[in-house]
Amino acid sequence: MRIVAEYPSVDFKITVFSWNGKYLLKIEKGMFEQTYKISEMDISGDEEVKKIVEDPIFIEEIKTRFKNMNLSLNDALNRI
């Protein structure tokens, strides 16, 4: 597995890996993590990965998903 790129962000850390014919987009925020796998056959290269990572709608959806992950975990912890 090799690191293709790292994209700094105020809200989270984005690391792009290349592994086993796929790009892995790993997005980390605190104790939460999201990983997206994209086949190298579906895109033409690193530049298209960069376009995905910089897509404002995708970024907003990631933020929302992190908020929902936090809410879900807190709700589960409150039930025990």
Side-chain angles (χ1 to χ4, degrees):
M1 184 180 308
R2 71 177 179 89
I3 296 176
V4 173
E6 292 183 343
Y7 298 96
S9 169
V10 173
D11 297 307
F12 36 77
K13 177 182 174 185
I14 301 174
T15 308
V16 179
F17 299 92
S18 178
W19 180 69
N20 202 23
K22 294 181 213 53
Y23 287 100
L24 279 73
L25 279 59
K26 180 178 175 183
I27 301 114
E28 300 171 85
K29 181 175 181 163
M31 57 192 237
F32 298 106
E33 176 180 305
Q34 298 177 44
T35 302
Y36 299 84
K37 296 178 183 178
I38 304 168
S39 172
E40 289 179 353
M41 303 298 286
D42 291 339
I43 57 176
S44 64
D46 297 357
E47 284 302 311
E48 285 192 0
V49 172
K50 184 177 181 181
K51 287 179 184 178
I52 292 169
V53 169
E54 294 176 345
D55 182 295
I57 295 171
F58 184 61
I59 296 300
E60 284 304 313
E61 290 171 344
I62 288 170
K63 289 178 186 179
T64 300
R65 201 162 289 114
F66 275 128
K67 289 176 189 172
N68 290 336
M69 291 169 74
N70 187 43
L71 290 172
S72 294
L73 179 59
N74 286 333
D75 288 347
L77 290 171
N78 287 331
R79 288 191 294 273
I80 58 174

